[in-house]
Amino acid sequence: SLRFPQKLWKMLESGKFQSIWWSESGKCVAINKDLFEVEVLGRGGQQVFHTQKIKSFMRQLNAYGFTKMQRNFQRSASLPEFLAEEAAISARSQILYYFNPSFNRAHPWLSETCKRR
């Protein structure tokens, strides 16, 4: 049986899931919360982790040293651009980003150093 970080890595690399992916830089894990609950944690989903609750999954991430990242966006001065950005941000609001310095797409061997706190 694989440990949590290895399961997560395998899941990210499989390309089978639309609800979880590497960030562009490969340094963060991006999770579409609503889709993840259905696709991975739901009864009909592909049971990868031993939970059906997103809060339990997040606790596992925290236990292995992942921290939730906030996305910082520059705001436009013009009202139409500002409103368009607001719409885009609300669409992304269900996307959670988690970072762990030992969990990096470019350095797979580092995931072995992810230990439970």
Side-chain angles (χ1 to χ4, degrees), residues 35-101:
L35 186 56
F36 189 81
E37 286 182 291
V38 173
E39 183 181 47
V40 180
L41 303 177
R43 293 184 190 277
Q46 301 179 43
Q47 195 73 38
V48 178
F49 303 101
H50 299 288
T51 185
Q52 293 181 341
K53 294 183 176 18
I54 191 79
K55 288 206 183 285
S56 297
F57 177 76
M58 289 184 211
R59 271 197 292 280
Q60 281 282 86
L61 285 168
N62 292 327
Y64 280 94
F66 286 82
T67 53
K68 190 174 177 185
M69 304 298 292
Q70 298 299 321
R71 301 291 287 182
N72 295 323
F73 299 98
Q74 292 288 356
R75 299 297 197 183
S76 295
S78 77
L79 183 60
E81 285 180 28
F82 178 82
L83 293 173
E85 288 170 4
E86 280 297 302
I89 289 168
S90 68
R92 287 191 294 254
S93 66
Q94 288 301 310
I95 299 183
L96 309 172
Y97 295 89
Y98 282 89
F99 170 78
N100 181 325

Side-chain angles (χ1 to χ4, degrees), residues 9-17:
W9 187 278
K10 197 171 176 181
M11 184 179 201
L12 287 161
E13 291 295 309
S14 75
K16 293 179 184 175
F17 301 90

